[in-house]
Structures are given as structure tokens and as C-alpha cells.
Amino acid sequence: MAGLHRLLALLALALGTVAVSVAEEKAKDADLRRLPCPDPHDISPCVCTADEQHNMDIDCSQVESEDQLARVFSSTIPFPHFHALYIDGNQRLKVLRRGDLGPASFELIHITGGVLEEVQEEALSQSYPTLSHIYIQENNVSRFPFAELPLFTSLVFLQMHTNSLESFPGLDSDTLQQVVLSDNPFGEIPLDGFQRVKNLYSISVSANDVEILLPGKVDVSHNDLA
Ligand SMILES: *[C@@H]1O[C@H](CO)[C@@H](O)[C@H](O)[C@H]1NC(C)=O
């Protein structure tokens, strides 16, 4: 009988140990998921998530103002390099101001379906070397720092369709491969519009009010460069 009791006690001890170590593993996993992200309270209403490789995304779709966005990115951000910034369907943010993203850099910026009118000069300057994809479609953007494009040394994709660009932007980039500018109100494309984007292989400019198609090396009418 004593033997059976001892056996049960050992069994209970073993099970207890297993239960504890599972809980510890879970806590460790949660730590890992949180670890590169800033304290959630500091960045609220933005939400940071990290994958197993510690790539962080931050979703600021719920920000209520430019000032609030600036406060989020002026909080303590231990690891300021993010994979992506998402601000989707936001009906408050009109200007992405210089400095509002603090020290944060991104590979992908996704500000879509909102009321954004302006991206200020140098607003994305922390991401000059890192940004590969810009998605700022379906807003009301009339001002964007296109003159800085050559400084974005990893940029391959620029999507700005359905905005309020009134003139065809100066496109100067060694890296840019695809540009989507459909559904903007610009009325003409300059003859040299594509001369300084030598790696561009696709441009979409459909559904603009382009009345004058100036002859150039690119046939914009079928929207795809060979
Ligand atoms: C778009 O932005 C302009 C300013 O650039 C503003 O006057 C206009 O009201 C905006 N349109 C909408 C639909 O928000």
C-alpha cells in the first residue's frame, strides 16, 4: 500500500512538473511574441504584432489625429525597425507630417482607403534605405515628396491609384519597378516622364483624365512596359 502511495505521489509530482513546464513554455512564447514590440499601453491605439522571426508590424488604423500618431511614435520603441505600418480605412489622418513616425523605419507602408491629403517632405526619411513597397491608394493625396524618390534605395513598388495628384509626378529611381497611378486627375504625361526610372517594367495610368498623350519611348495606352 505504501508503495502504491509513493507511486501515485511520484506520478502526481511528474504530472505537476509537466504542467508547470507547459505553462512556462507558453509564457516564454508570449514573451517572444511581445518582445521586440513596444509596450502595448505606450502605443495604443496602435497595435504591434511580431512573428516568430521577430518581424514586427504596427497597425495604426485607429489613430484619431496626427498628434496622436506622433505621440505613439515618440514613446519608448526599443526596436524601431518594423516590417510594416498599416493605417487602413482611417477617416481622421489628413497629413503624414515630418517627424510623426519618430525613429521608426519600415519596409512596407500601407495607408489606404482614408482621407490622407499630404505626405510631407521627409515624413518617410527614416525609411530611405528600407522601404520597398508604398501603398497609399484610395485617399485624397495631392502632395507627396516625389523629389525624394531617388533616396529610397530599396523602393520597388509605388501604388498611389485613386488619389488627387494633379500633375504627373517626377519619377526618378534606380530601383522602382512598378508604379500604379491610375485614377488621378493629372491631365498629361510629360515626354520624359519615364526616362529616369530605368528598372520600371510596369506602369498603370488608366482612368486618368489624360487627354494629351505626348509621344515618348513608352506606350502608356496599354499600361504595361515590355
Ligand atoms: C481632398 O483634399 C482637398 C485639399 O487638397 C480638400 O479641399 C478636399 O475637400 C478633399 N476632398 C475630400 C473628398 O475629402
Side-chain angles (χ1 to χ4, degrees):
M1 227 24 177
L4 182 59
H5 274 143
R6 217 167 61 216
L7 190 64
L8 285 175
L10 279 173
L11 201 58
L13 200 64
L15 286 174
T17 308
V18 168
V20 166
S21 68
V22 165
E24 270 173 5
E25 283 306 313
K26 278 201 174 137
K28 259 191 231 153
D29 277 359
D31 275 350
L32 280 181
R33 271 196 294 278
R34 269 199 310 267
L35 183 68
C37 279
D39 186 322
H41 298 294
D42 288 352
I43 59 165
S44 173
C46 298
V47 176
C48 176
T49 53
D51 67 14
E52 282 166 11
Q53 281 76 47
H54 299 235
N55 298 308
M56 293 180 291
D57 289 345
I58 188 162
D59 188 326
C60 293
S61 301
Q62 303 303 320
V63 287
E64 280 157 22
S65 66
E66 285 80 5
D67 287 347
Q68 191 181 50
L69 187 69
R71 273 199 299 281
V72 164
F73 285 101
S74 63
S75 64
T76 305
I77 300 182
F79 300 97
H81 180 68
F82 293 83
H83 170 250
L85 167 68
Y86 292 95
I87 302 178
D88 292 323
N90 183 289
Q91 301 303 308
R92 303 288 183 87
L93 202 69
K94 291 194 172 170
V95 185
L96 187 61
R97 301 177 308 195
R98 177 186 314 117
D100 281 359
L101 298 176
S105 62
F106 305 92
E107 292 161 44
L108 191 154
I109 282 185
H110 205 278
I111 306 177
T112 62
V115 294
L116 193 70
E117 294 172 9
E118 178 181 6
V119 176
Q120 285 188 348
E121 284 173 17
E122 295 174 5
L124 303 175
S125 61
Q126 294 299 322
S127 300
Y128 282 157
T130 56
L131 200 55
S132 65
H133 290 69
I134 296 177
Y135 301 88
I136 304 193
Q137 71 266 24
E138 291 159 21
N139 284 288
N140 182 20
V141 175
S142 57
R143 288 183 297 275
F144 184 90
F146 290 106
E148 292 169 34
L149 284 182
L151 304 174
F152 291 96
T153 50
S154 302
L155 188 64
V156 293
F157 191 85
L158 175 63
Q159 176 147 289
M160 289 190 68
H161 65 80
T162 321
N163 274 296
S164 301
L165 299 175
E166 291 191 348
S167 57
F168 187 81
L171 297 176
D172 183 348
S173 166
D174 288 343
T175 53
L176 206 51
Q177 295 178 358
Q178 292 190 64
V179 177
V180 184
L181 293 170
S182 328
D183 198 10
N184 276 284
F186 56 78
E188 58 181 51
I189 296 172
L191 184 59
D192 61 354
F194 305 103
Q195 250 165 28
R196 288 179 300 278
V197 273
K198 57 176 195 256
N199 283 309
L200 196 71
Y201 67 80
S202 168
I203 176 143
S204 172
V205 290
S206 57
N208 291 311
D209 299 330
V210 181
E211 285 168 6
I212 315 161
L213 286 180
L214 296 171
K217 62 170 188 169
V218 170
D219 176 4
V220 291
S221 60
H222 65 76
N223 270 342
D224 254 313
L225 304 188

